[in-house]
Amino acid sequence: MALIAMILLPLLGGCAALFAARLGRNAERWLSVLVLIAGLAALVSAIVDGGGDGRWLAISRTPWAPAMGVQLLFAMDGLSAAMLAISLGLGLIAVFVSWKTQANSGLFHAALLWTVAASNGVFLTFDLLVLAFFWELMVVPSFLLIALWGHGEREAAAMKFLIFNAVAGLGLLAAVFWMAATAPVITFDAFVLAGSGIAPAAQVWLLGGFALAFIVKLAVPPFHAWLPDAHTQAPTAGSILLAGLLLKTGAYGLFRFPPLLFPDGYLVLAPWGLALGSFGALYGAVMACGQTDAKRLVAYTSVAHMSIVLMGICGGVHFALMGAAIEMVAHAFSASALFLLIGAVYDRVGTRDLRELGGLQRTAPRFAAAFALFFAAVLAMPGTANFLGEALVITGMFQVNWVFAAIALAALVVSVVYATRLLKEIVFGEPQARPITVDLSARELALVVVLGTCTIWFGLLPQLLMVPMAPAVEAAIAAIDAAR
């Protein structure tokens, strides 16, 4: 029941938020906060007493439409639990960041909660038809956030986001239907289909359908074109959920389903994934160096970091897979924090142009310190969770092929260029014509402290992430090794 609650609470809470605004000032905001806290309580309950079977912390199976082979099949291990904690936690941060949003506030908070609900569904379900449902559902509230509360050319950015992700999702849907229709008994149960003996050649094509949906969401070049525009035009809360949550659904899908369902297809396509990831890591880093819009610069760093995650997943060895899993968590903290800070800058001076910013260390020291901390995280400095993730991926790449390890290292070298440039343009130098004179508020500072604490805490105590994620990593390796 706790697993289902993590989906139903934000889903129904979003419906209630539509009308809560009529009940009084900030009613929809406090309702959203209560719903997300209740979701975190359900997560804790599922971890403590979820009725798991050893491999899974919690598992729940409820018939829905038996004649069609559809069921509510949810399972959670350490990887899923980490993603759910990020989803619910970033949902809370998105609500607090948007506390002053007034236009259509009920619908705004409904869109936030529905995004969290659909993402939680992706992180929990192992019924592939339900997975495809949540995958497509996730696109709608995100589209609304960009189109209705974004900046500048928000409608064009929202349409590009919708077209890329909706069309790519059709590949997932087609593969799911084919698998169910050709199974000995019609079913969408991923565990049953994993043992149904799909021919290796068919696995390649089916994995292609799944991978198209996941890689577009992961925003790895050349499937990334929607991301810079969406991030640039989205409101701050939308950018936080895009970077911290939606990109991770793509990474989670690639980590979870190809080794489970298509191990033979994974072995065929993994080298192509490694090549794509290595190209994306360098491409994203180089493109970030040339940006003058701070949000767009951070968006391209996400392209680079998610490409490194793809390399880790396609590496297929322990260090690489563990590094990819940890980088998924670490990037959620650092990218969300940077978008929060850049959004706060924009709220104060109305620009994100690096040429018009500067001198934060003189006029707003708390702002400057926060930027410096998360620049260090983007650089994967030792002591941050980002360092742990990327170091493990690179170690794994040396076990797979030293060329890919060298490319990943080169991308890290380029990251020094864009991170130091961002630091120089915003934090150092002389205050510009529109200096930032108002430092971080108590609410903004509290959110930054939470994200910063997570970044350092998991960097200094890596076992807190590595132990709970080990079963998911070992399961993926076992499936891959069985197919070798």
Side-chain angles (χ1 to χ4, degrees), residues 103-449:
N104 295 321
S105 182
L107 179 58
F108 178 83
H109 286 83
L112 289 182
L113 292 175
W114 290 337
T115 302
V116 171
S119 302
N120 289 357
V122 170
F123 294 139
L124 282 171
T125 187
F126 281 82
D127 183 286
L128 297 183
L129 187 61
V130 177
L131 170 70
F133 168 75
F134 283 124
W135 193 261
E136 295 295 339
L137 178 63
M138 192 166 45
V139 175
V140 178
S142 302
F143 167 80
L144 292 176
L145 286 172
I146 301 169
L148 299 182
W149 294 277
H151 311 287
E153 299 177 357
R154 59 181 187 271
E155 293 178 2
M159 287 304 299
K160 186 182 289 187
F161 167 80
L162 179 66
I163 292 170
F164 265 78
N165 287 281
V167 171
L170 295 178
L172 171 66
L173 199 58
V176 167
F177 282 143
W178 190 94
M179 292 170 68
T182 57
V185 178
I186 291 182
T187 180
F188 295 95
D189 186 324
F191 300 124
V192 173
L193 292 169
S196 63
I198 302 172
Q203 287 191 28
V204 174
W205 287 103
L206 293 169
L207 176 53
F210 274 63
L212 177 64
F214 296 150
I215 288 180
V216 167
K217 193 75 85 208
L218 191 61
V220 171
F223 306 102
H224 70 294
W226 63 271
L227 182 68
D229 291 340
H231 269 313
T232 305
Q233 310 304 342
T236 300
S239 292
I240 288 173
L241 292 184
L242 280 173
L245 189 52
L246 265 64
L247 298 187
K248 307 308 176 295
T249 60
Y252 174 86
L254 285 169
F255 192 110
R256 181 70 82 193
F257 293 105
L260 173 66
L261 296 169
F262 320 113
D264 294 307
Y266 171 92
L267 293 177
V268 172
L269 295 182
W272 294 96
L274 283 168
L276 201 62
S278 58
F279 168 73
L282 270 180
Y283 173 85
V286 171
M287 289 298 294
C289 293
Q291 304 304 314
T292 55
D293 185 302
K295 252 188 164 183
R296 204 170 180 85
L297 188 155
V298 177
Y300 274 107
T301 68
S302 293
V303 171
H305 291 297
M306 289 302 98
S307 296
I308 289 177
V309 169
L310 177 61
M311 294 175 70
I313 293 170
C314 293
V317 297
H318 180 85
F319 283 130
L321 283 164
M322 182 62 80
I326 291 175
E327 180 65 14
M328 287 159 60
V329 175
H331 180 266
F333 300 142
S334 59
S336 299
L338 283 174
F339 281 119
L340 186 160
L341 291 168
I342 293 168
V345 167
Y346 184 80
D347 289 342
R348 285 160 172 77
V349 296
T351 182
R352 300 183 301 264
D353 193 324
L354 295 174
R355 296 164 296 188
E356 300 176 6
L357 299 172
L360 266 181
Q361 95 283 5
R362 298 187 182 185
T363 59
R366 291 199 293 268
F367 245 128
F371 267 117
L373 169 63
F374 292 106
F375 288 149
V378 169
L379 274 172
M381 296 290 285
T384 65
N386 306 64
F387 170 79
L388 176 65
E390 297 193 11
L392 287 172
V393 170
I394 292 171
T395 303
M397 287 300 101
F398 274 115
Q399 294 177 324
V400 175
N401 188 317
W402 70 268
V403 174
F404 294 121
I407 293 173
L409 283 169
L412 290 182
V413 171
V414 179
S415 73
V416 176
V417 177
Y418 64 68
T420 52
R421 174 169 173 257
L422 197 57
L423 193 65
K424 173 178 175 293
E425 299 287 353
I426 293 181
V427 175
F428 298 114
E430 295 295 328
Q432 300 299 311
R434 287 183 287 179
I436 299 169
T437 56
V438 180
D439 211 336
L440 288 173
S441 67
R443 185 176 66 245
E444 292 166 337
L445 184 61
L447 300 177
V448 168
V449 167

